[in-house]
Each structure stands twice: as structure tokens, then as C-alpha cells.
Amino acid sequence: MPHPRHRILSLGAGIQSSTLLALSANGVLPRVDYAIFADTGWEPAAVYRHLDRLEKEIAEPAGIPVLRVSSGNIRRDALDPEHRFASMPLYILNKDGNQGMTRRQCTGEYKIKPIKRQVRDILGYPYPARIPKGVFVEQWVGISTDEFHRAKDADVQYMHNRHPLIVDMNWSRTDCISYLTSLGLADTPKSSCLGCPFHGNAQWRNIRDNSPAEWADVVEFDKAIRNGNARANANGNRLLGEAYLHRSRVPLGEAPIDHVTAAEWAALQADSDTAQTNAEELELGVTDGCSPWACRGSEADTSQDDFGLAV
């Protein structure tokens, strides 16, 4: 079998990928040649602060370059009528009262696409050059044992995904948190956009209570996307539903983020097998966050539609 040209880390700056960077830098795992952070342009300030600290205290002393790549600013692009809209997984309230959710395209556009572009450059075959068979990188992906079902390979031959937390360490998310805590990184944040609709109530409260400027930002954005994306509106597309950031489908500034409503609780109790999982997601958000190679948006859901919001 051919050997990889390079060993790289897909660095989201969340719990699992931060753990992999530290394990590599400290010699517990082999040294990666690069760590690539895909910046959506709308990460929480805490993520940028953590990334700066990772680079200065962990990566640089070990000689691991941290490469920051981007396809643009997701917030600005979503409100720009001249920009093609890569839809976020927005909650929809249809005209007839039915509920839905838009397709999740943002991870592919703002995470996977710039990483692939950077990998091509590292290999010396920038797009649209054809990469010869057998030329590839080994890409480390931060997936722990509690989410092993999301471990899969990349969709291109020049990137081979590897999952060291599962294969080499047999570590869960709890193990990762313990390790980071031992390094003084107990405050490692969850990696996701500031206005990600997959936030749980605890995450929304944290923004509201600890970062007033960021809270004002997401409330303003939530209001701005109510009538669909800017390009669809500019083109006169017929709007089939209203868009919201919070799963309650009410304006974010009025959303019930301090408690579980009676209707939500009843819905949780309707299916006892999944009630616990749903309750945890309601409060803590989706556990996998926005990992480029483990996002639930890669799993086809035929019930999702554009609802007149995307063009």
C-alpha cells in the first residue's frame, strides 16, 4: 500500500480535535505535519481565543503549523443577495402551520471545501489539477468512541480519514475532557458557528448571559432571516415558510431558552426510547457540533426541503 504524503489534523478547535492536537504535540500519538482550521467567519469569540492558545501553547512548541482557511463569512454571505446561499439548517414554520427544516449545506461549503482546497495545495496539485492515484494525505478526524457511528472516510481519494481517538486511544468524549483538563484546557469550547441552529438552550443562555454583544448579533441575524435568504427575496422567489434559529420557531429573543415548554416536554415523552437523547439535545445541543467529517447533514433526510428559502 502507498504511504501518505502528509499527516494532517482537521482542527475544529472543539473537544476532540483539540485533544488530538495535544496528543500529537506531546508525543502520545505520532506528530501531524499540519493542523487545518476551517474558519466560517462567524465562530464565537471563545473559539478564536482557544484556537490562538492552542497554536501558541501546543502546536508551535511541537513544530506543528496551524493553517487557517476560509470560504468566506457565513453570516455576511447569508444576508448578501449577490451571494449564492449555502443553506444553514434553519427551523421552518410553514404557512399551513406545519414544521420543517432546511438542508444543511453550510458544513460542506464553509468547512469541507476550504480544507480540500488546502490539502490540494499541500500535495502540490491545486484545483483543477488531477491528483495521481496513490497520492494522498492521512487526515485525522476527532471522533470519539461515543460517536463511532459517524466515523467514515472522506469522499475523495486524495484524503484518507483516520480516527485515532477510536483506533489508537479508545477514548470517549469524557476521556478527552479529562485529558484537556489535565493540560489546563478545561474551558475548551464547543466548535460551531455563533448562530448555529443546532445550539441547545444552555448554549443560547451562555451567549445571552456572558456575551451581550454576541447575543445581540444572533438575535439580529435571526430577525434578518425570517423572510428567507436575501438572494431568494431579491429574485422574487415565493416564500413557503418563515425561518428561525431556535427550534421553538419563535424569534430568538423571545425563545424559551430558560426552560422546557409543556409542548416540548410532551413531545419528548411521546417516545420514551428517544426521550433522553432529545432532552439532552434540547439543553446541550447536538453533540457532534460542526465537525466537517461527522456532521448529521451528510446523512440524507428526504423530509428536508428548501421551503422557498434557497436558490
Side-chain angles (χ1 to χ4, degrees):
M1 291 290 292
H3 295 286
R5 294 285 182 89
H6 299 280
R7 183 184 292 118
I8 69 170
L9 167 64
S10 176
L11 179 63
I15 297 293
Q16 285 92 337
S17 65
S18 295
T19 298
L20 282 180
L21 179 64
L23 289 170
S24 175
N26 292 333
V28 180
L29 291 174
R31 179 182 173 278
V32 294
D33 299 310
Y34 302 95
I36 304 178
F37 175 79
D39 185 3
T40 66
W42 202 26
E43 306 287 338
V47 170
Y48 290 120
R49 289 194 298 268
H50 178 69
L51 179 64
D52 290 341
R53 186 180 177 191
L54 285 178
E55 185 171 15
K56 181 179 180 180
E57 299 180 14
I58 304 296
E60 285 184 1
I64 301 174
V66 175
L67 307 178
R68 306 188 189 203
V69 299
S70 176
S71 285
N73 183 298
I74 188 173
R75 187 194 193 282
R76 184 174 60 242
D77 292 346
L79 302 180
D80 181 2
E82 301 300 321
H83 195 278
R84 184 183 67 82
F85 183 62
S87 66
M88 300 167 64
L90 303 173
Y91 296 99
I92 303 300
L93 182 62
N94 295 325
K95 298 290 187 181
D96 60 6
N98 289 328
Q99 299 179 349
M101 196 169 192
T102 55
R103 294 186 179 94
R104 182 178 182 176
Q105 300 171 321
C106 49
T107 301
E109 180 70 19
Y110 292 93
K111 293 284 188 178
I112 296 177
K113 182 178 178 179
I115 291 175
K116 287 180 176 178
R117 184 170 59 240
Q118 183 64 67
V119 167
R120 277 180 159 273
D121 290 343
I122 290 173
L123 289 173
Y125 297 93
Y127 182 83
R130 180 181 177 275
I131 300 179
K133 184 177 181 180
V135 175
F136 65 96
V137 300
E138 178 182 284
Q139 176 176 239
W140 287 10
V141 181
I143 298 178
S144 48
T145 54
D146 41 306
E147 52 187 28
F148 71 92
H149 56 285
R150 296 195 182 279
K152 52 178 70 74
D153 208 354
D155 60 354
V156 289
Q157 293 185 356
Y158 58 86
M159 301 170 72
H160 292 187
N161 285 354
R162 181 174 174 81
H163 309 91
L165 291 176
I166 299 174
V167 176
D168 301 296
M169 304 301 296
N170 193 32
W171 275 13
S172 67
R173 181 181 178 85
T174 300
D175 294 321
C176 294
I177 292 173
S178 297
Y179 181 66
L180 291 175
T181 300
S182 73
L183 300 177
L185 296 170
D187 59 347
T188 297
K190 189 172 184 177
S191 177
S192 61
C193 288
L194 184 62
C196 179
F198 285 152
H199 284 341
N201 286 339
Q203 293 169 288
W204 288 125
R205 289 195 304 271
N206 181 62
I207 298 172
R208 181 196 63 188
D209 298 342
N210 298 303
S211 185
E214 290 186 326
W215 177 248
D217 182 31
V218 292
V219 168
E220 179 185 0
F221 179 80
D222 174 74
K223 181 179 179 180
I225 52 93
R226 190 77 67 244
N227 293 323
N229 78 79
R231 185 173 178 182
N233 291 334
N235 292 344
N237 285 38
R238 185 169 65 93
L239 186 66
L240 304 180
E242 293 181 332
Y244 298 87
L245 286 182
H246 192 267
R247 64 192 297 167
S248 63
R249 295 171 176 83
V250 299
L252 183 59
E254 306 169 17
I257 64 175
D258 289 302
H259 64 279
V260 177
T261 67
E264 289 171 331
W265 182 251
L268 293 177
Q269 298 307 304
D271 185 353
S272 59
D273 292 337
T274 60
Q276 183 63 35
T277 298
N278 289 341
E280 289 177 354
E281 287 192 2
L282 180 68
E283 181 67 9
L284 303 177
V286 177
T287 56
D288 53 292
C290 278
S291 170
W293 313 101
C295 90
R296 59 171 50 191
S298 62
E299 299 171 1
D301 183 353
T302 56
S303 67
Q304 292 182 323
D305 200 349
D306 290 326
F307 297 98
L309 300 180
V311 291

